Amino acid sequence: MAARLPPLRRFKPEAAELDQWGAERWGPNVPGPPSTPPPFPFVTSLVTLSAASRICVSFSVDFPGSGHLCWASGVSLLLETMAFVTRQFVRSLASSSSVTGPAASAKKILIKHVTVIGGGLMGAGVTQVAASTGHTVVLVDQTDEILAKSKKGIEESLRRVVKKKFAENPQAGDEFIKKTMSNISLSTDAASVVHSTDLVIEAIVENQKLKNELFRRLDKFAAERTIFVSNTSSLQITDLANSTTRQDRFGGLHFFNPVPMMNLVEVIKTPMTSQKTFESLMDFSKALGKTPVTCKDSPGFVVNRLLVPYLMEAIRMHERGDASKEDIDIAMKLGSGYPMGPFELLDYVGLDTTKFIVDGWHEMDSKNPFFQPSQLLNKLVEEKKFGRKTGEGFYKYK
């Protein structure tokens, strides 16, 4: 051994290099790894390195590939060995916990940019609420005329909100409207705006084929991280998700009309919806100031599964002549404390919408007595008497 050693150069050898180097230096007599596979991949190197470091106390070593002679004392090699083993141990523990622990799921998506497809009452309402809570929103529909009408409706709705919320501070109310409207942009080209959005909310007509075609098309243009949801009140979310390649990033967000006033959101999780997606949608619903409830992908979810059979039974009572529609409405308002009677609510929701829901459920389960169609309802829809939106349904509106 040389009397004086040159200055030490720190080195960070890989496990495979050290194993090979130790075997070449001392041959097969150096204690090797146990026959039973170790619990961590670096244990093999640990055994060989421990033996090598003890033997190396009185020798200088030459690492292959270093380009020159590298001197290291036994103490230095032992320290390097300990450092190497420690690093590997920490990495292995981190890797193991990331696979089996709570950290296995990726971080939730913070939804800030939203694209709403459909400028009707529901789409415009969702747009208003999202924009008023600090989200940037692109509202998409087929024509500029529809979008202009939607924008006007949002502004009028905001003024009603401001009248109550900022009654004592009109200037703050004007600022609120201005800020909310600045978060909203309009587009007639969905494919061109979904590439950078966090969340796509579909709120178009309740038509399975049209929704599937829309999602199939947008799936090609949206970023991989983007979550898709439908605001459907009756269709199966799973069937819609299957039209895309992002079933794990697909769910349901069922808002209630009028969206700015109704605090409930039903968050629907299909068997394929990831926990990350589900939690992101729950957080988004809360960020809107709504109260989310969760439900499996079952017909009608929670509210409509209970509400629609109630409405249909009211129609059947009227058809049988058990009571007039006026008396049924009065009875439910005064007797049950409901703000609307069933026929008032039917006209508000839309008779066409109710018929569509019932027809879909009847197709799925024709023997279910709650899913049976109504001749009176079918007749009114055939006559284009949909309720408030057409001026006549069960009641006439001026």
Side-chain angles (χ1 to χ4, degrees):
M1 183 176 181
R4 300 188 63 183
L5 296 174
L8 298 176
R9 179 174 67 83
R10 293 184 61 81
F11 57 92
K12 297 181 179 180
E14 295 295 330
E17 294 176 345
L18 286 169
D19 287 341
Q20 180 181 358
W21 168 68
E24 290 175 352
R25 278 291 178 184
W26 294 286
N29 293 328
V30 177
S35 57
T36 303
F40 297 101
F42 62 84
V43 172
T44 297
S45 297
L46 172 60
V47 176
T48 303
L49 288 172
S50 297
S53 61
R54 289 195 300 272
I55 297 173
C56 190
V57 170
S58 60
F59 292 92
S60 62
V61 296
D62 177 14
F63 282 87
S66 63
H68 62 280
L69 190 65
C70 174
W71 294 92
S73 69
V75 175
S76 176
L77 180 56
L78 184 58
L79 292 175
E80 289 289 348
T81 301
M82 293 170 63
F84 169 77
V85 170
T86 302
R87 287 195 301 271
Q88 292 293 90
F89 180 71
V90 172
R91 288 173 183 169
S92 296
L93 287 179
S95 175
S96 176
S97 64
S98 67
V99 173
T100 60
S105 59
K107 291 183 178 179
K108 293 179 289 186
I109 294 176
L110 179 62
I111 297 172
K112 297 300 293 181
H113 183 71
V114 181
T115 299
V116 178
I117 312 294
L121 286 175
M122 295 302 296
V126 173
T127 298
Q128 175 185 325
V129 171
S132 66
T133 50
H135 301 82
T136 58
V137 188
V138 180
L139 178 60
V140 180
D141 213 308
Q142 294 177 318
T143 67
D144 292 328
E145 289 75 18
I146 295 175
L147 290 170
K149 183 179 179 180
S150 300
K151 183 179 179 181
K152 181 181 178 182
I154 292 172
E155 289 176 335
E156 292 174 351
S157 178
L158 285 171
R159 295 197 182 283
R160 289 193 294 270
V161 171
V162 163
K163 191 175 181 179
K164 294 181 178 180
K165 188 176 181 179
F166 298 93
E168 299 180 0
N169 193 347
Q171 185 176 355
D174 291 339
E175 287 296 320
F176 175 76
I177 294 175
K178 182 179 179 181
K179 184 177 181 181
T180 298
M181 295 306 298
S182 69
N183 287 334
I184 301 173
S185 57
L186 310 175
S187 177
T188 57
D189 186 2
S192 67
V193 298
V194 297
H195 61 87
S196 59
T197 194
D198 300 318
L199 176 67
V200 172
I201 302 176
E202 170 273 309
I204 66 173
V205 64
E206 285 285 84
N207 184 294
Q208 177 88 48
K209 182 178 179 182
L210 291 178
K211 290 178 186 286
N212 281 342
E213 289 176 354
L214 174 67
F215 282 125
R216 188 177 297 110
R217 179 166 176 262
L218 297 184
D219 189 41
K220 300 175 182 178
F221 296 95
E224 184 178 352
R225 74 176 192 283
T226 303
I227 298 173
F228 282 10
V229 299
S230 175
N231 182 57
T232 182
S233 59
S234 60
L235 300 176
Q236 297 275 275
I237 300 297
T238 301
D239 292 341
L240 298 175
N242 285 337
S243 65
T244 74
T245 60
R246 61 183 72 220
Q247 290 93 335
D248 61 323
R249 287 149 287 152
F250 204 113
L253 282 184
H254 182 217
F255 294 87
F256 292 82
N257 191 34
V259 180
M261 295 176 59
M262 302 295 281
N263 291 327
L264 182 66
V265 179
E266 291 176 323
V267 181
I268 314 305
K269 182 180 181 182
T270 77
M272 300 173 290
T273 305
S274 70
Q275 187 66 18
K276 169 185 172 182
T277 296
F278 173 71
E279 292 177 1
S280 298
L281 294 178
M282 290 290 287
D283 288 349
F284 173 68
S285 300
K286 294 174 184 177
L288 297 182
K290 303 298 183 184
T291 300
V293 296
T294 68
C295 183
K296 292 182 179 180
D297 189 16
S298 59
F301 314 136
V302 177
V303 174
N304 280 344
R305 185 60 181 269
L306 297 174
L307 178 62
V308 173
Y310 153 73
L311 297 176
M312 293 303 295
E313 184 58 26
I315 296 175
R316 281 188 278 270
M317 285 186 69
H318 179 47
E319 285 179 316
R320 292 192 300 264
D322 295 343
S324 69
K325 60 181 182 292
E326 292 83 3
D327 283 349
I328 293 173
D329 277 350
I330 291 172
M332 294 310 297
K333 287 189 288 185
L334 299 184
S336 297
Y338 291 0
M340 287 184 179
F343 292 96
E344 292 172 326
L345 184 56
L346 281 161
D347 279 354
Y348 185 82
V349 170
L351 304 190
D352 56 331
T353 301
T354 303
K355 172 178 163 49
F356 182 86
I357 293 172
V358 172
D359 288 349
W361 292 0
H362 181 67
E363 186 177 342
M364 284 189 292
D365 186 1
S366 61
K367 295 182 180 180
N368 191 321
F370 295 112
F371 297 169
Q372 299 306 308
S374 158
Q375 290 184 359
L376 177 57
L377 179 63
N378 291 345
K379 180 177 179 293
L380 290 172
V381 171
E382 186 178 346
E383 294 172 353
K384 307 297 182 184
K385 297 176 180 179
F386 299 157
R388 283 183 174 273
K389 57 187 173 184
T390 59
E392 184 176 357
F394 284 103
Y395 296 107
K396 291 183 178 181
Y397 303 90
K398 294 181 180 180

